[in-house]
Amino acid sequence: VSPTSTSQEIRQNYLKLSLLYHPDKNQKKVDNLSSDDSDLQTDYFIILNEAYENLKDANRRLKYDKKLNFLKKNKTEILFDSVDLDDMELNEEKMEYTYNCRCGNLFILTYQDLEFGFNQVNCEGCSLILKVDYDVLEDEE
């Protein structure tokens, strides 16, 4: 959700995502999760619930927004996670790798980013950063 989302929009997104990631509700493959990986799916569901608890309460949301604005103004980066490139979803057509952020948007790493050796990606919808681990292959001459 965006920082300007209403309580109703937050609730609607929460309900949609909770059905998607609830370990007892979803037995199908979810993005890069399989039903065999129920621990990771449960972790996503727990993170989703924590985020919703903070965003649905007006006082908690205000504190969260203030902290986020402070960090943005001071150019403080928030490292969300560190993942292997192999753990990201490859879209060959778009020539990019994606990874789901807890805000519901995506971290996107393009082929060009890889060529330049970038290993940190900003989320499209929030201020979180994902560190991507991969080996840089040297050109053979």
Side-chain angles (χ1 to χ4, degrees):
V1 294
S2 76
T4 58
S5 295
T6 65
S7 296
Q8 184 178 358
E9 290 169 328
I10 292 169
R11 179 170 165 69
Q12 287 171 341
N13 280 297
Y14 166 74
L15 293 173
K16 181 176 77 171
L17 290 171
S18 67
L19 285 175
L20 184 66
Y21 288 109
H22 194 287
D24 296 334
K25 299 279 185 196
N26 189 359
Q27 299 302 317
K28 298 181 289 181
K29 186 176 179 182
V30 177
D31 295 332
N32 56 351
L33 299 176
S34 67
S35 59
D36 296 335
D37 204 356
S38 62
D39 287 343
L40 189 53
Q41 191 166 344
T42 300
D43 289 346
Y44 277 9
F45 185 71
I46 290 168
I47 291 169
L48 174 66
N49 280 321
E50 288 173 359
Y52 181 64
E53 287 300 316
N54 283 317
L55 295 177
K56 76 175 186 176
D57 180 270
N59 289 329
R60 284 173 141 180
R61 184 175 179 185
L62 183 62
K63 285 180 185 177
Y64 174 81
D65 287 343
K66 282 182 179 180
K67 181 177 180 181
L68 199 56
N69 287 331
F70 172 80
L71 294 172
K72 284 180 181 179
K73 285 179 185 175
N74 292 299
K75 306 239 186 275
T76 303
E77 298 175 340
I78 305 169
L79 185 64
F80 168 64
D81 203 355
S82 181
V83 299
D84 266 358
L85 184 63
D86 295 337
D87 294 331
M88 296 181 76
E89 186 77 24
L90 172 62
N91 184 329
E92 290 182 10
E93 187 175 299
K94 291 184 176 181
M95 299 175 58
E96 66 188 19
Y97 290 85
T98 60
Y99 192 81
N100 291 328
C101 181
R102 67 182 182 199
C103 76
N105 284 299
L106 294 173
F107 295 100
I108 299 175
L109 184 69
T110 65
Y111 285 8
Q112 188 175 22
D113 293 336
L114 293 171
E115 288 174 11
F116 287 124
F118 296 148
N119 71 340
Q120 291 190 351
V121 185
N122 291 40
C123 174
E124 292 190 320
C126 69
S127 63
L128 296 180
I129 295 172
L130 181 70
K131 181 178 180 283
V132 182
D133 298 318
Y134 62 93
D135 293 326
V136 177
L137 299 176
E138 299 294 325
D139 288 337
E140 294 182 22
E141 295 186 33

